[in-house]
Amino acid sequence: MSRSLLADASTRLETALKYVSISEDASERLKYPKASLSVSIPVRMDDGSLRIFQGYRVRYDDTRGPGKGGVRYHPNVCMDEVQSLAFWMTFKCALLDLPFGGAKGGITLNPKELSRQELERLSRGYIEAIADFIGSDIDILAPDVYTNDIIMGWMMDQYSIIQRKISPGVVTGKPLTMGGCQGRDAATGTGAFYVISALLPKFDLIPEKTTVAVQGFGKVGMPIAELLANAGYKVVAVSDSQGGIYAEQGLDIPSIRQYKQQHQIIKGVYCEGSVCNIVEHKVISNAELLTLDVDVLIPAALENQITEENAPDIKAKYIFEVANGPTTSEADKILEARGIYVFPDILVNAGGVTVSYFEWVQNRSGLYWSLQEVNQRLKEKIVTEAEKVWSIAREFSVSMRTAAYIHALNRLGEAMDAKGTRDYYISGSIG
């Protein structure tokens, strides 16, 4: 990239600052991460060799509460990416009015190349390396790309060993048997579904006549695709890292999900029980999916998928960002000029961190909620904030992304100004 991911992400902050009244001190502090940690993690591999993995943890801001953010396992993980993700988390938590700051972590690797035992040793080694940097009142971890409840359970257990006490609040997204929360595994997709269901009717779109393409048929893309299909939307295309499929007549999402879970590949199928029959479909690439002639496009994979190169070819009129940072700032300008509505990641994918907050609260209180209670609380919270962002967008005649940042900035600015500058001055002389 010609410039860093964080620099590109920060342009959204500069745009929104024009519409808020916060102090210069507050706006200046939000341009830089508070603390960034880089660690080397030695892991004994199954063949007896030793490999060193690079890990990161960034706490971007903790004005509104302890840092909160996932841990990503991916070959592209680097400090710039982790700082950018922590930046987005800062605004996401403020937007949803959660008592958290923004944080993020990751390890540079291809997790598909490691055995289960190697992944466990790596995950525990990561916690060993960052244990002094995290805590239930300091910085709270969660799952992200290629991490799941099992890995979160290893991390929570290792932290508890180090602290010599059970410490469930340091990690969210854990197994239910270790203090996890009902609905956390599907929370990002569920929250996105609630946002889509609240905002699309404002454009007089009805599910049965609305076509959808989902890029990223994984742990987030699967639930959102299935929820939309069950609600009557016509999901015509899905993809994963290996490519995608398209069927103009619509896809049977539950069958495709069942087939992928069994075979680890995507095909257009219709399943009855354990028998799946292939139905007519077209094999497409991830790039082709982004430019399909559909009503709604849902990028649910990685960042920087919609750029200034392919933005002129986007045909969808409504983009709901379920991935973090899938659209570059330059692409934003092109899409806005073309009249395409982009509903930003810090709103659309905030269901995950919201239910992580619910899990953290339950760990601290010892009282646990049913799936119905969790989803009802999530729906109320995320739809309330979506309506506020919609009102701000109309009030200032700005994009939904800028409106979301305005809303979050107002809350962050109030908290920062209430705490003061907290500057330290050294007086006196030496010698």
Side-chain angles (χ1 to χ4, degrees), residues 395-414:
E395 178 184 353
F396 292 102
S397 298
V398 296
S399 70
M400 286 291 288
R401 189 187 308 283
T402 297
Y405 275 89
I406 291 171
H407 192 27
L409 268 171
N410 282 326
R411 285 175 172 159
L412 283 163
E414 288 174 6

Side-chain angles (χ1 to χ4, degrees), residues 342-373:
V342 179
F343 299 90
D345 48 0
I346 64 170
L347 169 65
V348 179
N349 71 19
V353 69
T354 302
V355 177
S356 276
Y357 163 61
F358 296 163
E359 182 175 332
W360 182 74
V361 169
Q362 291 170 87
N363 290 158
R364 295 167 77 89
S365 68
L367 299 173
Y368 289 83
W369 308 330
S370 68
L371 177 59
Q372 183 179 1
E373 288 177 300

Side-chain angles (χ1 to χ4, degrees), residues 221-255:
M222 276 187 190
I224 185 63
E226 194 159 4
L227 285 167
L228 288 169
N230 290 342
Y233 290 89
K234 193 175 180 180
V235 182
V236 297
V238 296
S239 69
D240 61 11
S241 59
Q242 302 176 65
I245 54 175
Y246 168 74
E248 186 177 355
Q249 72 276 13
L251 298 166
D252 188 86
I253 299 302
S255 294

Side-chain angles (χ1 to χ4, degrees), residues 217 229 235 250-257 267-271 279:
F217 197 65
V235 182
L251 298 166
D252 188 86
I253 299 302
S255 294
I256 296 171
R257 180 175 188 166
K267 278 191 176 181
V269 293
Y270 177 78
C271 298
V279 298

Side-chain angles (χ1 to χ4, degrees), residues 30 37 51 110 124 163 196 217 247 258 325 344 379 425 430:
L30 284 168
L37 179 65
R51 282 185 62 184
N110 182 353
R124 291 180 180 275
Q163 297 297 316
I196 293 170
F217 197 65
Q258 177 182 325
K379 183 177 182 179
Y425 297 94
I430 297 175

Side-chain angles (χ1 to χ4, degrees), residues 305-384:
Q305 298 300 300
I306 302 175
T307 66
E308 58 184 321
E309 283 76 29
N310 62 7
D313 300 320
I314 300 293
K315 299 180 181 65
K317 286 295 182 184
Y318 310 94
I319 299 174
F320 288 85
E321 296 181 332
V322 176
N324 287 305
T327 310
T328 67
S329 59
E330 290 302 318
D332 256 347
K333 298 174 185 176
I334 297 170
L335 296 172
E336 188 171 358
R338 296 182 57 215
I340 296 173
Y341 285 85
V342 179
F343 299 90
D345 48 0
I346 64 170
L347 169 65
V348 179
N349 71 19
V353 69
T354 302
V355 177
S356 276
Y357 163 61
F358 296 163
E359 182 175 332
W360 182 74
V361 169
Q362 291 170 87
N363 290 158
R364 295 167 77 89
S365 68
L367 299 173
Y368 289 83
W369 308 330
S370 68
L371 177 59
Q372 183 179 1
E373 288 177 300
V374 169
N375 284 340
Q376 184 59 37
R377 290 171 186 265
L378 170 60
K379 183 177 182 179
E380 290 174 359
K381 195 158 191 61
I382 204 164
V383 170
T384 295

Side-chain angles (χ1 to χ4, degrees), residues 199-228:
L199 296 180
L200 272 186
K202 298 181 185 299
F203 301 93
D204 296 324
L205 292 177
I206 60 174
E208 292 74 17
K209 295 185 178 181
T210 304
T211 55
V212 181
V214 180
Q215 184 207 38
F217 197 65
K219 65 181 181 182
V220 175
M222 276 187 190
I224 185 63
E226 194 159 4
L227 285 167
L228 288 169

